[in-house]
């Protein structure tokens, strides 16, 4: 039972319908089970900016597809214009982060702000009992307390991108696809006769029309491509960079310097407008700090000797680490084995087996 002591026919569920196969299937599943389903689609950016991009989410075609699915199911469907909210919380943050030498993670910011804050509050205003999404993550109850766990399909697991979901938000949110694989989801979509059944997945940075984020930043911030020095970590100059927005930690290609061996970006100093490069071993680190930590465990973190698994990027398989609570929503992460390309601005998510304990943003070092 989705809501204790309430039958499906008395339970109202708002489904965040992005226009893709996952959220469309969620709406169909819940409608089929007898719930009162309301579909909500967010318009997040200017149609002219995204129509040229194949595979964008929350774009013109996606809004149309979501409406077609809702019409087929016979459920109410609303489109909310969150363009200004999205620009302020996600796009502006994305641009400013690059200008400060970080490599941002806009999908998390979008979930953290627009989708799991504004949309969730709107669902409550509608009198809904919960908000359902098409994310591949599991919500598990332990002693009547909700926990977030990795999705069954580890290839599609999205728990890394949802680490910033608060306890209050998790309590109100439902993830019907957590125990399904992507193949099973597409089969269900076909069984329900949804037009999105074979639709390709959306891309990571949905608001960048051509995948060239530096072009977007240059358009919004015309003076962002200020040239500067490329220095080796040992202190000597190697060349000139084309603006720090074009570089990220671990980058090897496109440096336009010839020294007879591969060099990698190991540090970006936005204050001095310097890109530091070094050998591969200079990328290895074991200790770093995370900030704005969202802690989902009911027990606060103690500094006892205990090992956790952490992911330092979405494609990372995970490493063992010890975590120290620094106070003020900051934690220190000490990896048991060195990792390469630990990138400021990315998320570090902390797991206890399959459970998400929390996570935060990697600080500069």
């Amino acid at each position: 039972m989705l809501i204790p002591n309430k039958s499906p026919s008395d339970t109202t569920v708002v489904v965040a319908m992005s226009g893709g196969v996952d959220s469309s299937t969620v709406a169909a599943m819940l409608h089929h089970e007898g719930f009162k389903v309301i579909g909500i689609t967010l318009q997040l950016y200017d149609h002219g900016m995204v129509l040229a991009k194949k595979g964008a989410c929350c774009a013109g075609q996606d809004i149309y597809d979501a409406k077609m699915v809702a019409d087929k199911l016979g459920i109410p469907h609303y489109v909310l214009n969150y363009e200004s909210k999205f620009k302020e919380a996600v796009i502006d943050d994305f641009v400013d982060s690059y200008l400060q030498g970080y490599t941002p993670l806009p999908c998390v910011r979008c979930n953290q702000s627009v989708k799991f804050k504004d949309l969730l509050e709107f669902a409550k205003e509608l009198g809904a009992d919960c908000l359902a999404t098409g994310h591949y993550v599991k919500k598990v109850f332990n002693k009547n307390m909700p926990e977030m766990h990795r999705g069954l399909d580890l290839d599609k697991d999205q728990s890394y991108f949802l680490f910033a979901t608060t306890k209050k938000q998790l309590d109100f949110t439902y993830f019907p696809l957590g125990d399904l694989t992507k193949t099973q989801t597409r089969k269900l979509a076909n069984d329900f006769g949804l037009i999105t059944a074979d639709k390709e997945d959306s891309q990571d940075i949905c608001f960048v029309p051509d995948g060239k984020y530096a072009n977007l930043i240059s358009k919004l911030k015309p003076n962002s491509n200020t040239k500067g020095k490329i220095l080796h970590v040992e202190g000597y100059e190697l060349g000139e960079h084309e603006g720090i927005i074009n570089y990220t930690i671990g980058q090897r290609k496109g440096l336009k310097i010839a020294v007879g061996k591969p060099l990698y970006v190991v540090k970006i100093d936005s204050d001095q407008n310097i890109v530091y490069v070094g050998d591969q071993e200079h990328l290895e680190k074991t200790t770093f700090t995370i900030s704005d930590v969202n802690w989902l465990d009911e027990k606060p973190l103690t500094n006892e000797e205990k090992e956790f698994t952490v992911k330092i990027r979405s494609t990372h398989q995970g490493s063992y680490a010890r975590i120290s609570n620094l106070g003020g929503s900051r934690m220190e992460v000490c990896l048991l084995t060195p990792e390469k390309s630990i990138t400021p601005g990315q998320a570090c998510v902390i797991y206890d087996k399959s459970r998400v304990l929390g996570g935060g943003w990697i600080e500069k070092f």
Side-chain angles (χ1 to χ4, degrees), residues 92-108:
D92 289 350
D93 176 81
F94 177 84
V95 172
D96 291 341
S97 294
Y98 263 111
L99 292 175
Q100 294 172 30
Y102 293 96
T103 301
L105 200 58
C107 289
V108 175

Side-chain angles (χ1 to χ4, degrees), residues 121-278:
E121 290 304 318
F122 184 78
K124 289 183 177 180
E125 290 176 9
L126 290 177
D129 295 284
C130 70
L131 171 71
T133 79
H135 291 100
Y136 287 86
V137 63
K138 289 198 284 189
K139 177 178 171 180
V140 176
F141 282 91
N142 182 12
K143 298 179 181 179
N144 295 321
M145 297 294 294
E147 299 176 349
M148 182 185 293
H149 288 251
R150 287 187 172 119
L152 175 71
D153 188 343
L154 295 182
D155 290 333
K156 290 296 180 181
D157 168 54
Q158 292 170 296
S159 60
Y160 177 86
F161 296 101
L162 296 182
F163 82 89
T165 306
T166 66
K167 295 177 184 178
K168 186 177 179 180
Q169 291 167 347
L170 180 61
D171 190 52
F172 192 74
T173 311
Y174 179 45
F175 308 104
L177 303 185
D179 286 311
L180 299 180
T181 65
K182 186 75 175 192
T183 300
Q184 290 173 320
T185 299
R186 289 199 183 276
K187 183 180 184 305
L188 281 171
N190 272 303
D191 292 343
F192 286 123
L194 305 182
I195 63 170
T196 56
D198 298 316
K199 188 173 181 178
E200 65 181 70
D201 291 339
S202 60
Q203 303 299 311
D204 285 344
I205 306 179
C206 57
F207 55 87
V208 183
D210 55 6
K212 298 178 180 179
Y213 64 85
N215 291 347
L216 174 69
I217 298 172
S218 298
K219 179 179 179 181
L220 297 177
K221 299 281 187 177
N223 297 322
S224 59
N225 269 326
T226 304
K227 295 182 178 181
K229 294 179 180 180
I230 297 178
L231 300 183
H232 194 277
V233 289
E234 295 177 354
Y236 52 89
E237 187 172 345
L238 291 171
E240 185 178 63
H241 67 71
E242 302 294 323
I244 62 172
I245 64 171
N246 298 289
Y247 302 87
T248 187
I249 302 298
Q251 179 178 334
R252 179 174 66 87
K253 297 181 179 180
L255 301 183
K256 298 180 181 179
I257 51 177
V259 294
K261 63 178 180 178
L263 291 177
Y264 303 81
V265 175
V266 298
K267 182 180 178 181
I268 298 173
D269 186 338
S270 59
D271 293 332
Q272 301 296 321
N273 195 30
I274 296 173
V275 173
Y276 288 93
V277 298

Side-chain angles (χ1 to χ4, degrees), residues 61-127:
Q61 181 63 46
D62 299 285
I63 294 172
Y64 175 81
D65 289 344
K67 183 181 186 307
M68 291 299 99
V69 170
D71 287 348
K72 178 177 178 58
L73 298 176
I75 63 173
H77 177 253
Y78 303 97
V79 178
L80 304 182
N81 188 336
Y82 277 18
E83 188 175 328
S84 61
K85 293 177 181 287
F86 185 78
K87 182 179 184 301
E88 180 180 348
V90 181
I91 297 180
D92 289 350
D93 176 81
F94 177 84
V95 172
D96 291 341
S97 294
Y98 263 111
L99 292 175
Q100 294 172 30
Y102 293 96
T103 301
L105 200 58
C107 289
V108 175
R109 291 296 188 193
C110 183
N111 290 328
Q112 185 179 26
S113 55
V114 177
K115 292 182 180 177
F116 281 86
K117 182 182 178 184
D118 296 320
L119 178 56
L120 188 144
E121 290 304 318
F122 184 78
K124 289 183 177 180
E125 290 176 9
L126 290 177

